[in-house]
Amino acid sequence: MKEKRVLRIIENMQKHNLKQMIVTSPAAIFYLTGKWIEPGERLLALYINVEGDKRLFINELFPIDKDEDLDLIIYNDVQDPINIMRDFINRDQILGIDKNWPSHFLIKFMENNIAPGYVNSSPIVDRVRMIKDEEEIALMRENSKINDRVMSKLVALIAKDYDEKKICGILSELYEEEGASGFSFHPLIAYGKNAAEPHHDSDKSRLSTGDSVILDIGGRKDNYCSDMTRTVFYKELSDEAKNIYNIVLEANLEAIDKVKPGARFCDIDRAARGLIENHGYGKYFTHRTGHNIGIEVHDFGDVSAVNEDIVQPGMIFSIEPGIYLPNKLGVRIEDLVLVTEQGVEVLNSYTKKLQVIE
């Protein structure tokens, strides 16, 4: 068990007057136990109460080392784990449950009156996970360095006339070469007019002279994620494309400059969005400025116009403004940033200088 993390969860439970909860998200269970388990359709649940009791309910198909700080309640495929769990839950107290727990488990809990009521307790865990500890920060720094090296290799491949999908396949090999275990999300490789789709699904498209090329990539190592976007141009660069690139770069830098303890996420978004709007491209910046990241590529929290949460040391999130002209071109520049006691540390070092690939 990651005891310091568990204690932070219990402290947050007490603040919200919640005495017991079950954690079912594999990412959250990994955060608290150091054990990654994908249960498929089977029940996996970590029970925690404010007295410090911790029990992991797990199918025998998923062997797990005994942990002296964690009681294992093991069931098999002919047993009903819900009936087993009911004996360990205080039936007089509200029970917190993850927001994404399959409904068939929750409905059975409700039908059996296992607790007098249920609340979504994911924010209790999510808000603790927003503040990375030193172990997590070290892993995120390392993963971002890997992503920098992969991006450098990737940009060198652009001139080789591979289609988007082929580049994605090669990218998998690059992450393996650098010691990552795979993608943290499906990479976005977009040429020309495809780059005007912020979530383009890479296809067989090939490069044409003057194309903007969006490279949005991230790898996973030690169950933590990286994420970065760079935009380059193929052989030629129009004046319009150059202007848009410089605006997006300025927006990226302006937003990063606003990152510090005490700032609000919405103000960081406003720094990027306001600059792009002032240049007349506001309607072409169609997504939020960023998202939190860690064990999941989209951890809880985002850099958006409606998020008034205060930025705190230990948070890690993306800064990724973009401009997308439909059927023409797109530009996005993304870095991961770590909030420090003094201000901000940019985790990515791969160049943001405008590049035209010959």
Side-chain angles (χ1 to χ4, degrees):
M1 292 294 292
K2 303 285 188 177
E3 284 299 329
K4 290 182 179 179
R5 297 177 186 176
V6 173
L7 289 175
R8 290 172 63 199
I9 297 295
I10 291 174
E11 289 173 0
N12 211 16
M13 290 172 66
Q14 291 169 332
K15 288 179 184 177
H16 289 82
N17 198 31
L18 181 66
K19 297 184 182 303
Q20 59 178 353
M21 64 185 294
I22 57 174
V23 179
T24 67
S25 157
I29 288 175
F30 168 75
Y31 175 76
L32 295 171
T33 69
K35 308 173 197 325
W36 190 280
I37 304 157
E38 288 289 352
E41 77 277 12
R42 294 176 172 85
L43 182 145
L44 175 70
L46 174 64
Y47 174 85
I48 301 173
N49 64 27
V50 291
E51 283 76 40
D53 292 337
K54 303 176 291 290
R55 297 185 180 91
L56 183 67
F57 297 86
I58 184 170
N59 191 284
E60 65 180 359
L61 293 176
F62 306 101
I64 187 170
D65 294 334
K66 184 67 177 175
D67 188 325
E68 63 182 17
D69 297 320
L70 177 66
D71 289 335
L72 295 179
I73 310 299
I74 300 171
Y75 69 94
N76 60 42
D77 274 352
V78 299
Q79 294 176 300
D80 184 345
I82 301 294
N83 286 335
I84 293 172
M85 289 182 71
R86 68 188 300 165
D87 293 332
F88 295 91
I89 291 171
N90 188 324
R91 302 184 69 178
D92 296 322
Q93 296 174 350
I94 297 294
L95 180 66
I97 296 180
D98 284 356
K99 60 181 177 288
N100 291 326
W101 205 38
S103 60
H104 65 91
F105 291 136
L106 176 58
I107 289 171
K108 193 163 186 179
F109 259 57
M110 297 171 71
E111 289 175 342
N112 285 273
N113 298 314
I114 291 177
Y118 306 90
V119 296
N120 173 18
S121 56
S122 288
I124 289 174
V125 180
D126 290 342
R127 289 193 175 276
V128 170
R129 284 177 54 197
M130 285 180 78
I131 311 297
K132 272 55 179 179
D133 58 31
E134 287 303 318
E135 177 185 352
E136 294 181 288
I137 290 170
L139 290 170
M140 292 296 292
R141 284 181 175 134
E142 179 186 4
N143 284 355
S144 288
K145 289 178 180 177
I146 289 173
N147 218 24
D148 285 337
R149 296 196 295 269
V150 170
M151 182 66 80
S152 181
K153 293 179 179 181
L154 180 61
V155 169
L157 293 171
I158 295 303
K160 295 187 179 295
D161 196 31
Y162 295 124
D163 64 44
E164 294 172 350
K165 191 165 279 190
K166 178 66 174 179
I167 288 284
C168 288
I170 297 173
L171 185 59
S172 178
E173 299 173 9
L174 298 181
Y175 278 114
E176 185 175 347
E177 288 174 7
E178 292 294 342
S181 57
F183 299 139
S184 56
F185 60 94
H186 187 71
L188 188 154
I189 310 296
Y191 300 160
K193 66 180 182 180
N194 292 343
E197 304 172 16
H199 281 174
H200 172 66
D201 188 10
S202 299
D203 56 30
K204 293 285 189 177
S205 297
R206 290 187 176 275
L207 283 163
S208 297
T209 298
D211 277 352
S212 64
V213 180
I214 287 183
L215 307 169
D216 186 354
I217 64 171
R220 177 176 288 274
K221 186 176 186 296
D222 299 320
N223 291 310
Y224 279 80
C225 299
S226 62
D227 189 5
M228 173 174 52
T229 306
R230 293 294 184 264
T231 302
V232 300
F233 296 88
Y234 185 59
K235 290 189 176 180
E236 292 180 3
L237 178 68
S238 69
D239 290 341
E240 180 183 38
K242 181 178 180 180
N243 182 51
I244 287 173
Y245 186 91
N246 288 332
I247 292 169
V248 173
L249 176 57
E250 189 177 356
N252 168 273
L253 297 174
E254 186 75 14
I256 290 172
D257 188 59
K258 292 291 187 292
V259 178
K260 59 183 177 181
R264 299 186 303 173
F265 282 105
C266 57
D267 294 331
I268 298 169
D269 178 88
R270 172 45 48 191
R273 197 169 304 280
L275 190 144
I276 290 174
E277 288 173 350
N278 288 341
H279 284 278
Y281 290 98
K283 69 178 182 178
Y284 302 111
F285 180 13
T286 54
H287 55 77
R288 61 194 176 185
T289 296
H291 58 85
N292 291 52
I293 185 171
I295 298 171
E296 297 172 284
V297 72
H298 283 193
D299 269 357
F300 176 80
D302 63 19
V303 187
S304 69
V306 297
N307 186 359
E308 296 183 356
D309 284 352
I310 301 298
V311 169
Q312 301 176 57
M315 290 181 172
I316 298 177
F317 48 86
S318 66
I319 299 292
E320 49 181 301
I323 294 175
Y324 311 93
L325 302 187
N327 297 310
K328 198 169 187 180
L329 64 85
V331 175
R332 180 162 67 250
I333 301 172
E334 174 188 16
D335 296 300
L336 296 187
V337 297
L338 163 67
V339 184
T340 68
E341 296 288 347
Q342 294 74 35
V344 61
E345 175 186 336
V346 180
L347 298 185
N348 296 108
S349 61
Y350 185 80
T351 184
K352 291 185 276 192
K353 180 181 178 181
L354 192 153
Q355 296 186 73
V356 178
I357 307 301
E358 299 294 337

